[in-house]
Amino acid sequence: MPARLPILPGATLGILGGGQLGRMFTVAARTMGYRVMVLDPDPQSPAGQMADVHLQADYTDHGALKKVAEACTAVTTEFENVPAASLVELSRYTRVAPNAEAVAIMQDRSCEKTWLRENGFATAPFALVSNEIELKADATSAGFPAILKVSRFGYDGKGQIRVNSLKDLMSAFAELKGVPCVLEGFVQLASEVSVVLARTDSGECRSWPVGENHHMNGILDTTRVPASVNQSIQERAQITAMQIAGKLGYVGVMAVEFFVDQGGNLLVNEIAPRPHNSGHYTLDACVTDQFEQQVRVLCGLPLGDTRLLSPVVMVNLLGDVWRHGPDWMALLQHPGIKLHLYGKAEARPGRKMGHYNCLAESVDSAASLAAKTREMLGIIPL
Ligand code: AMP
């Protein structure tokens, strides 16, 4: 992309997708003096509540895309399932970052895994499956146990089924309605880590410290920073994430999730073309958070400092917690806790409603505070 003039405060920025990531982008952008237009069909969109303008229309609605293109000096996205064709359409009229090609790779697990393999990045063993014959043939190559995952529209552990035999596999494929899938060998995990980074048009890349992630039922539960995995693994994770962003020619904030196996090998699990749940700790613990950085990259401003200011543990708040009527007063009596709620009216089990960051002198103290408050809120202990 040629060098271009920075987009300065006062301009209008657009975002496709109005979930919590869009909401935190909107807050960051408005804090910096930009106007924000959100495109999301949901009238109760978390980002729409914070935006200057909320266009309630589908992501493929040409009239709505035209309005976005006319009003916005630059446009970004907050979720990978935004149709790549809509980004292409917008990019004819206005600046769009990340670009449609990168988003298209990451929105399809089969494309993503294939791209990673072709570009020399280690992943769990996998096979692409689109019919029963392939399924039978590939079952042997992936081995058991394995996980069958839908290629598109899966998130937070949804659209994936763990299988232990060919019989399981056949019924899992039927349960997933025979859609294209990736069959992935099950990795004996030592830990899971992620790297969130930002890359500019000119190829400057800055990452935040590695997060150590714990999942529950396939959904991120906590992120601990600094991670307790050894330094060499952390350095390799940072380098690999930057290499991936470089090879994609990526512009924007992106996240790379890794498995660490028992031998200390790093396997890329997923890449996301947007800020990431495992980067929410940056909101309170870093000089610049991932959403401010998203604004900076989009606008061609200099990147902010990604330095960690305090050890931190981020705890996700799922709708399940609302069963007990969350006691915010009890949570907030701890002065090191920073609460973020996403403005969602309906608290369904497994739905991400918010998160909180526990800041303390050491990461172990932050983890104790997280454990104590999780228990108080009725979240199942780690
Ligand atoms: P995903 O949606 O693919 O990121 O999967 C959600 C979570 O399920 C991961 O963060 C892991 O905790 C677990 N998981 C997914 N795939 C595998 C695998 N191949 N081996 C071991 N655990 C996995």
Side-chain angles (χ1 to χ4, degrees), residues 119-345:
N119 285 280
F121 297 104
T123 64
F126 71 91
L128 308 184
V129 178
S130 54
N131 59 52
E132 285 197 10
I133 298 166
E134 286 175 0
L135 199 63
K136 282 187 187 144
D138 290 330
T140 35
S141 63
F144 292 110
I147 307 188
L148 188 65
K149 303 180 176 181
V150 291
S151 292
R152 293 181 72 97
F153 304 117
Y155 68 98
D156 284 344
K158 289 191 181 66
Q160 44 182 274
I161 301 177
R162 191 166 165 179
V163 292
N164 289 309
S165 65
L166 187 57
K167 188 164 162 274
D168 276 4
L169 183 55
M170 302 308 279
S171 58
F173 190 54
E175 197 178 317
L176 296 174
K177 312 244 179 321
V179 296
C181 285
V182 174
L183 178 64
E184 211 174 280
F186 196 79
V187 179
Q188 289 305 328
L189 299 175
S191 56
E192 291 186 73
V193 296
S194 58
V195 174
V196 183
L197 60 78
R199 188 173 179 278
T200 66
D201 298 292
S202 58
E204 188 194 346
C205 204
R206 244 181 232 193
S207 67
W208 283 270
V210 170
E212 179 181 342
N213 301 323
H214 293 271
H215 292 79
M216 239 180 1
N217 304 322
I219 307 178
L220 182 66
D221 183 30
T222 60
T223 300
R224 176 186 168 108
V225 187
S228 54
V229 297
N230 77 43
Q231 206 51 42
S232 123
I233 292 178
Q234 296 195 41
E235 279 162 21
R236 276 187 284 136
Q238 304 251 20
I239 291 167
T240 306
M242 291 204 190
Q243 285 171 340
I244 291 173
K247 282 219 164 151
L248 284 167
Y250 189 84
V251 176
V253 171
M254 71 174 260
V256 182
E257 290 183 87
F258 296 91
F259 296 146
V260 183
D261 72 10
Q262 300 290 334
N265 300 302
L266 273 173
L267 306 171
V268 178
N269 172 26
E270 265 183 348
I271 46 185
R274 50 171 172 79
H276 195 255
N277 194 167
S278 68
H280 289 354
Y281 78 85
T282 63
L283 281 164
D284 301 305
C286 292
V287 177
T288 309
D289 68 66
Q290 58 175 349
F291 301 100
E292 178 183 335
Q293 203 78 304
Q294 187 182 17
V295 175
R296 285 172 175 256
V297 181
L298 184 64
C299 296
L301 304 176
L303 289 181
D305 188 348
T306 52
R307 197 160 30 103
L308 188 71
L309 297 172
S310 165
V312 58
V313 172
M314 187 282 310
V315 178
N316 258 346
L317 288 166
L318 304 183
D320 311 62
V321 171
W322 269 246
R323 271 201 306 254
H324 310 282
D327 186 348
W328 301 132
M329 283 302 281
L331 183 70
L332 294 170
Q333 74 169 319
H334 300 282
I337 282 186
K338 308 286 280 182
L339 177 65
H340 301 258
L341 295 176
Y342 308 148
K344 296 183 184 177

